[in-house]
Amino acid sequence: AQRVTQPEKLLSVFKGAPVELKCNYSYSGSPELFWYVQYSRQRLQLLLRHISRESIKGFTADLNKGETSFHLKKPFAQEEDSAMYYCALRGGSARQLTFGSGTQLTVLP
Amino acid sequence: KAGVTQTPRYLIKTRGQQVTLSCSPISGHRSVSWYQQTPGQGLQFLFEYFSETQRNKGNFPGRFSGRQFSNSRSEMNVSTLELGDSALYLCASSHQASGANVLTFGAGSRLTVL
């Protein structure tokens, strides 16, 4: 079975401060990991995926297989980063994404 | 290019009724997945269709069903509605041939069951 845990339901940081949204997963094989974001009154959209190893809007995420984590990081948070962030996993032959419960990030001015 | 389109955007039903939701994927996308989003359970996978065939199904009762047409448009149906079926139903499409399997989501259909 595959499982995604986002331990923080709510996270607040000040503008310009670093931010880290935690994501831990449970899966015995090699998973595909994703971060999706939902801004206020907008649809859920892909932020980044681990296979791309890219930085989007200043965010990065590294897959740590030893710690089974895929934390999302940004060195300097901006107010426009305020949104709901979901970590998601797809493993093996399973075609569906398993989502975490989400973290609501608020960047304070 | 047009995104994933879901209709209706909002609807209100009463217990015992049935509902049909529609999803038009991005042009060229042949895979359509459905998710239920609620405050308590978060995003839960319902089913996935590809080339008119259901390829995967989540852990939902048989009251939840779906289908896909030859033009890749998909519908999901919920029969004998219960209060707990109130949720945002999200449809997502992907271009399987790309190998990336990145889902593009629609805006959702918000169902309220009274």
Side-chain angles (χ1 to χ4, degrees):
Chain A
Q2 50 197 55
R3 187 184 181 97
V4 177
T5 303
Q6 293 180 251
E8 303 136 330
K9 203 166 187 173
L10 302 170
L11 182 62
S12 294
V13 299
F14 285 101
K15 177 182 170 182
V19 62
E20 180 179 75
L21 290 88
K22 291 184 167 49
C23 171
N24 288 91
Y25 66 89
S26 173
Y27 182 69
S28 56
S30 291
E32 291 180 71
L33 275 298
F34 304 81
W35 277 99
Y36 278 81
V37 61
Q38 191 166 30
Y39 300 101
S40 179
R41 286 189 280 279
Q42 293 188 30
R43 56 187 70 187
L44 193 61
Q45 59 186 283
L46 177 70
L47 180 62
L48 54 78
R49 47 196 163 119
H50 89 273
I51 59 171
S52 301
R53 302 184 68 82
E54 57 198 343
S55 173
I56 303 292
K57 299 185 179 183
F59 284 98
T60 58
D62 290 316
L63 177 60
N64 186 322
K65 291 188 179 181
E67 295 183 359
T68 59
S69 68
F70 188 57
H71 303 327
L72 183 68
K73 300 176 185 178
K74 184 169 183 176
F76 307 104
Q78 302 300 313
E79 289 181 69
E80 55 265 30
D81 296 329
S82 296
M84 188 72 155
Y85 291 81
Y86 293 95
C87 182
L89 173 154
R90 176 167 43 229
S93 59
R95 304 202 55 80
Q96 76 270 23
L97 287 179
T98 297
F99 284 88
S101 53
T103 298
Q104 179 67 50
L105 173 66
T106 301
V107 180
L108 304 166
Chain B
K1 95 185 167 179
V4 178
T5 304
Q6 292 189 244
T7 57
R9 290 293 313 281
Y10 302 91
L11 66 167
I12 300 173
K13 294 284 186 178
T14 56
R15 278 183 299 174
Q17 287 187 310
Q18 66 93 27
V19 66
T20 299
L21 309 177
S22 178
C23 172
S24 293
I26 290 173
S27 178
H29 284 194
R30 294 168 63 192
S31 172
V32 173
S33 300
W34 289 89
Y35 287 80
Q36 182 196 63
Q37 186 177 27
T38 59
Q41 300 296 318
L43 282 151
Q44 292 188 286
F45 172 75
L46 280 156
F47 22 66
E48 184 208 0
Y49 288 89
F50 181 79
S51 293
E52 303 178 66
T53 302
Q54 186 182 89
R55 289 209 293 192
N56 209 356
K57 189 176 193 304
N59 190 24
F60 278 82
R63 300 185 296 107
F64 291 80
S65 63
R67 58 178 174 167
Q68 187 180 33
F69 302 95
S70 58
N71 61 359
S72 294
R73 189 177 71 85
S74 177
E75 287 182 348
M76 67 162 280
N77 183 277
V78 188
S79 62
T80 320
L81 284 166
E82 301 177 359
L83 295 178
D85 297 333
S86 294
L88 181 66
Y89 289 89
L90 294 174
C91 166
S93 72
S94 67
H95 192 301
Q96 292 295 295
S98 73
N101 280 330
V102 172
L103 297 183
T104 301
F105 283 86
S109 292
R110 184 166 294 282
L111 170 65
T112 301
V113 182
L114 302 176

